[in-house]
Amino acid sequence: MATTIWTSFYPYVQPYLPGCPEIVIEAHLQETAADFCADSEVWRYTLDTDYTSANTRDYEIDVPTGSLLESILFLQVNGIPITHVSERHFNMMTNADGTEIKGTPTYFSIFEDASIRFYPTPSSKLTFNGLAVLKPKLSATGVEGFIFDAHSRAIASGTIAKLAEIPGKEWSSPDLAMQHRVMYERCIAKAKGRDTRRVNLRVASMGFAD
């Protein structure tokens, strides 16, 4: 679906923030949209099947232009689900002499927000695929159309909350900020709660979590 640009959100934001420059609104829309997608996990992306190679543990994940890898909901190697752990746990996953353990991966972590790291380090060619959560880059020109269609009011409320919290401006309003902060957080909970009614889409997290 085509990208919906930030100006499409303005009618939902500007009436609440008289005098706020558009450049400021856009900057906060970008930040709020990224936060919303990260927290609600609404932007799902199926990872194409890829292959490991012997003695290589890190693999960059290709995502659409203008997006960032936020998290991975599900990953499997040779058709078998593996467990998501945080990067710090890899320090405990080595041989006694500090060398890498090699074999068929049973764990993974997200490395530098762009790659996945397998443990043990793959010792041969294996297939892997999964389901990721994305968020827009702060430099993105807008959001995916389906995100705007379903969640534009939520992102607008989060933006209003951020801007109304700024002190000393003609649009400053602690009460307005609180009102829209509550609305925004409810929208995140509702968007994420819808996920529990989907069948066979999200796999419950296992083991450690980042």
mmCIF file of all heavy atoms in Angstrom, residues 175-197:
data_model
loop_
_atom_site.group_PDB
_atom_site.id
_atom_site.type_symbol
_atom_site.label_atom_id
_atom_site.label_comp_id
_atom_site.label_asym_id
_atom_site.label_seq_id
_atom_site.Cartn_x
_atom_site.Cartn_y
_atom_site.Cartn_z
ATOM 1 N N ASP A 175 -3.515 19.971 30.718
ATOM 2 C CA ASP A 175 -4.769 19.210 30.712
ATOM 3 C C ASP A 175 -4.985 18.521 29.366
ATOM 4 O O ASP A 175 -5.394 17.356 29.303
ATOM 5 C CB ASP A 175 -5.954 20.131 31.010
ATOM 6 C CG ASP A 175 -5.980 20.604 32.455
ATOM 7 O OD1 ASP A 175 -5.309 19.966 33.302
ATOM 8 O OD2 ASP A 175 -6.653 21.616 32.734
ATOM 9 N N LEU A 176 -4.732 19.261 28.288
ATOM 10 C CA LEU A 176 -4.875 18.675 26.950
ATOM 11 C C LEU A 176 -3.870 17.541 26.762
ATOM 12 O O LEU A 176 -4.207 16.487 26.205
ATOM 13 C CB LEU A 176 -4.650 19.747 25.885
ATOM 14 C CG LEU A 176 -4.814 19.296 24.427
ATOM 15 C CD1 LEU A 176 -6.270 18.934 24.139
ATOM 16 C CD2 LEU A 176 -4.337 20.401 23.472
ATOM 17 N N ALA A 177 -2.652 17.746 27.244
ATOM 18 C CA ALA A 177 -1.629 16.713 27.130
ATOM 19 C C ALA A 177 -2.060 15.444 27.851
ATOM 20 O O ALA A 177 -1.924 14.335 27.314
ATOM 21 C CB ALA A 177 -0.306 17.224 27.698
ATOM 22 N N MET A 178 -2.586 15.591 29.059
ATOM 23 C CA MET A 178 -3.013 14.420 29.820
ATOM 24 C C MET A 178 -4.168 13.705 29.137
ATOM 25 O O MET A 178 -4.195 12.474 29.041
ATOM 26 C CB MET A 178 -3.436 14.852 31.228
ATOM 27 C CG MET A 178 -3.938 13.691 32.094
ATOM 28 S SD MET A 178 -2.683 12.418 32.384
ATOM 29 C CE MET A 178 -1.552 13.330 33.446
ATOM 30 N N GLN A 179 -5.141 14.470 28.647
ATOM 31 C CA GLN A 179 -6.299 13.882 27.966
ATOM 32 C C GLN A 179 -5.860 13.037 26.775
ATOM 33 O O GLN A 179 -6.292 11.886 26.607
ATOM 34 C CB GLN A 179 -7.239 14.996 27.500
ATOM 35 C CG GLN A 179 -8.421 14.499 26.677
ATOM 36 C CD GLN A 179 -9.197 15.660 26.050
ATOM 37 O OE1 GLN A 179 -8.993 16.820 26.387
ATOM 38 N NE2 GLN A 179 -10.080 15.333 25.121
ATOM 39 N N HIS A 180 -4.980 13.588 25.962
ATOM 40 C CA HIS A 180 -4.565 12.866 24.758
ATOM 41 C C HIS A 180 -3.551 11.777 25.068
ATOM 42 O O HIS A 180 -3.471 10.785 24.321
ATOM 43 C CB HIS A 180 -4.042 13.844 23.710
ATOM 44 C CG HIS A 180 -5.150 14.527 22.960
ATOM 45 N ND1 HIS A 180 -5.725 13.995 21.825
ATOM 46 C CD2 HIS A 180 -5.824 15.681 23.223
ATOM 47 C CE1 HIS A 180 -6.686 14.795 21.403
ATOM 48 N NE2 HIS A 180 -6.763 15.819 22.228
ATOM 49 N N ARG A 181 -2.784 11.918 26.138
ATOM 50 C CA ARG A 181 -1.897 10.835 26.545
ATOM 51 C C ARG A 181 -2.702 9.600 26.915
ATOM 52 O O ARG A 181 -2.357 8.478 26.527
ATOM 53 C CB ARG A 181 -1.051 11.293 27.738
ATOM 54 C CG ARG A 181 -0.163 10.204 28.341
ATOM 55 C CD ARG A 181 0.909 9.763 27.390
ATOM 56 N NE ARG A 181 1.753 10.865 26.963
ATOM 57 C CZ ARG A 181 2.652 10.797 25.986
ATOM 58 N NH1 ARG A 181 2.798 9.667 25.312
ATOM 59 N NH2 ARG A 181 3.387 11.846 25.651
ATOM 60 N N VAL A 182 -3.796 9.796 27.645
ATOM 61 C CA VAL A 182 -4.658 8.671 28.023
ATOM 62 C C VAL A 182 -5.272 8.037 26.776
ATOM 63 O O VAL A 182 -5.304 6.812 26.627
ATOM 64 C CB VAL A 182 -5.756 9.134 29.001
ATOM 65 C CG1 VAL A 182 -6.794 8.034 29.206
ATOM 66 C CG2 VAL A 182 -5.134 9.529 30.340
ATOM 67 N N MET A 183 -5.763 8.870 25.865
ATOM 68 C CA MET A 183 -6.357 8.354 24.635
ATOM 69 C C MET A 183 -5.334 7.557 23.830
ATOM 70 O O MET A 183 -5.629 6.474 23.304
ATOM 71 C CB MET A 183 -6.903 9.516 23.787
ATOM 72 C CG MET A 183 -8.096 10.224 24.403
ATOM 73 S SD MET A 183 -8.536 11.764 23.530
ATOM 74 C CE MET A 183 -8.855 11.129 21.884
ATOM 75 N N TYR A 184 -4.128 8.092 23.739
ATOM 76 C CA TYR A 184 -3.064 7.443 22.974
ATOM 77 C C TYR A 184 -2.722 6.081 23.573
ATOM 78 O O TYR A 184 -2.621 5.081 22.851
ATOM 79 C CB TYR A 184 -1.848 8.353 22.971
ATOM 80 C CG TYR A 184 -0.602 7.771 22.350
ATOM 81 C CD1 TYR A 184 -0.528 7.524 20.988
ATOM 82 C CD2 TYR A 184 0.520 7.492 23.136
ATOM 83 C CE1 TYR A 184 0.627 7.012 20.412
ATOM 84 C CE2 TYR A 184 1.673 6.981 22.575
ATOM 85 C CZ TYR A 184 1.726 6.740 21.215
ATOM 86 O OH TYR A 184 2.865 6.234 20.662
ATOM 87 N N GLU A 185 -2.555 6.023 24.866
ATOM 88 C CA GLU A 185 -2.198 4.761 25.512
ATOM 89 C C GLU A 185 -3.319 3.735 25.399
ATOM 90 O O GLU A 185 -3.066 2.534 25.249
ATOM 91 C CB GLU A 185 -1.833 5.018 26.974
ATOM 92 C CG GLU A 185 -0.522 5.802 27.102
ATOM 93 C CD GLU A 185 -0.174 6.163 28.528
ATOM 94 O OE1 GLU A 185 -1.018 5.920 29.430
ATOM 95 O OE2 GLU A 185 0.938 6.699 28.758
ATOM 96 N N ARG A 186 -4.554 4.184 25.446
ATOM 97 C CA ARG A 186 -5.684 3.266 25.246
ATOM 98 C C ARG A 186 -5.678 2.709 23.828
ATOM 99 O O ARG A 186 -5.983 1.527 23.620
ATOM 100 C CB ARG A 186 -6.995 3.989 25.530
ATOM 101 C CG ARG A 186 -7.295 4.219 27.012
ATOM 102 C CD ARG A 186 -8.570 5.005 27.201
ATOM 103 N NE ARG A 186 -8.888 5.175 28.612
ATOM 104 C CZ ARG A 186 -9.841 5.979 29.080
ATOM 105 N NH1 ARG A 186 -10.583 6.682 28.201
ATOM 106 N NH2 ARG A 186 -10.072 6.070 30.365
ATOM 107 N N CYS A 187 -5.344 3.554 22.870
ATOM 108 C CA CYS A 187 -5.299 3.096 21.474
ATOM 109 C C CYS A 187 -4.200 2.050 21.274
ATOM 110 O O CYS A 187 -4.393 1.081 20.533
ATOM 111 C CB CYS A 187 -5.074 4.283 20.543
ATOM 112 S SG CYS A 187 -6.499 5.370 20.346
ATOM 113 N N ILE A 188 -3.069 2.239 21.919
ATOM 114 C CA ILE A 188 -1.996 1.247 21.829
ATOM 115 C C ILE A 188 -2.468 -0.081 22.408
ATOM 116 O O ILE A 188 -2.276 -1.149 21.799
ATOM 117 C CB ILE A 188 -0.736 1.731 22.566
ATOM 118 C CG1 ILE A 188 -0.082 2.874 21.797
ATOM 119 C CG2 ILE A 188 0.258 0.581 22.749
ATOM 120 C CD1 ILE A 188 1.104 3.485 22.499
ATOM 121 N N ALA A 189 -3.082 -0.022 23.593
ATOM 122 C CA ALA A 189 -3.570 -1.245 24.230
ATOM 123 C C ALA A 189 -4.624 -1.938 23.374
ATOM 124 O O ALA A 189 -4.633 -3.167 23.244
ATOM 125 C CB ALA A 189 -4.137 -0.922 25.606
ATOM 126 N N LYS A 190 -5.502 -1.148 22.763
ATOM 127 C CA LYS A 190 -6.549 -1.719 21.913
ATOM 128 C C LYS A 190 -5.942 -2.367 20.673
ATOM 129 O O LYS A 190 -6.326 -3.481 20.288
ATOM 130 C CB LYS A 190 -7.540 -0.633 21.499
ATOM 131 C CG LYS A 190 -8.698 -1.151 20.654
ATOM 132 C CD LYS A 190 -9.671 -0.024 20.319
ATOM 133 C CE LYS A 190 -10.821 -0.537 19.462
ATOM 134 N NZ LYS A 190 -11.780 0.565 19.115
ATOM 135 N N ALA A 191 -4.977 -1.679 20.045
ATOM 136 C CA ALA A 191 -4.350 -2.220 18.840
ATOM 137 C C ALA A 191 -3.612 -3.510 19.147
ATOM 138 O O ALA A 191 -3.686 -4.480 18.382
ATOM 139 C CB ALA A 191 -3.390 -1.191 18.254
ATOM 140 N N LYS A 192 -2.924 -3.540 20.264
ATOM 141 C CA LYS A 192 -2.189 -4.746 20.631
ATOM 142 C C LYS A 192 -3.137 -5.845 21.090
ATOM 143 O O LYS A 192 -2.911 -7.030 20.839
ATOM 144 C CB LYS A 192 -1.181 -4.432 21.735
ATOM 145 C CG LYS A 192 -0.064 -5.440 21.841
ATOM 146 C CD LYS A 192 1.085 -4.889 22.645
ATOM 147 C CE LYS A 192 2.260 -5.862 22.627
ATOM 148 N NZ LYS A 192 3.428 -5.340 23.363
ATOM 149 N N GLY A 193 -4.244 -5.460 21.728
ATOM 150 C CA GLY A 193 -5.225 -6.433 22.195
ATOM 151 C C GLY A 193 -5.926 -7.145 21.068
ATOM 152 O O GLY A 193 -6.330 -8.305 21.210
ATOM 153 N N ARG A 194 -6.076 -6.478 19.931
ATOM 154 C CA ARG A 194 -6.698 -7.122 18.762
ATOM 155 C C ARG A 194 -5.910 -8.341 18.326
ATOM 156 O O ARG A 194 -6.446 -9.282 17.759
ATOM 157 C CB ARG A 194 -6.781 -6.135 17.601
ATOM 158 C CG ARG A 194 -7.804 -5.026 17.773
ATOM 159 C CD ARG A 194 -7.663 -3.985 16.691
ATOM 160 N NE ARG A 194 -7.825 -4.558 15.359
ATOM 161 C CZ ARG A 194 -7.561 -3.897 14.247
ATOM 162 N NH1 ARG A 194 -7.101 -2.655 14.306
ATOM 163 N NH2 ARG A 194 -7.742 -4.476 13.081
ATOM 164 N N ASP A 195 -4.630 -8.321 18.630
ATOM 165 C CA ASP A 195 -3.738 -9.401 18.217
ATOM 166 C C ASP A 195 -4.121 -10.724 18.854
ATOM 167 O O ASP A 195 -3.908 -11.792 18.272
ATOM 168 C CB ASP A 195 -2.307 -9.032 18.606
ATOM 169 C CG ASP A 195 -1.283 -9.957 17.992
ATOM 170 O OD1 ASP A 195 -1.319 -10.114 16.774
ATOM 171 O OD2 ASP A 195 -0.474 -10.510 18.737
ATOM 172 N N THR A 196 -4.682 -10.675 20.062
ATOM 173 C CA THR A 196 -5.031 -11.918 20.749
ATOM 174 C C THR A 196 -6.199 -12.617 20.094
ATOM 175 O O THR A 196 -6.458 -13.793 20.369
ATOM 176 C CB THR A 196 -5.384 -11.632 22.223
ATOM 177 O OG1 THR A 196 -6.545 -10.775 22.285
ATOM 178 C CG2 THR A 196 -4.218 -10.944 22.937
ATOM 179 N N ARG A 197 -6.915 -11.918 19.221
ATOM 180 C CA ARG A 197 -8.054 -12.517 18.535
ATOM 181 C C ARG A 197 -7.691 -13.036 17.153
ATOM 182 O O ARG A 197 -8.533 -13.543 16.422
ATOM 183 C CB ARG A 197 -9.186 -11.490 18.427
ATOM 184 C CG ARG A 197 -9.716 -11.054 19.799
ATOM 185 C CD ARG A 197 -11.011 -10.290 19.659
ATOM 186 N NE ARG A 197 -10.840 -9.022 18.961
ATOM 187 C CZ ARG A 197 -10.510 -7.885 19.569
ATOM 188 N NH1 ARG A 197 -10.284 -7.864 20.857
ATOM 189 N NH2 ARG A 197 -10.396 -6.765 18.874
#
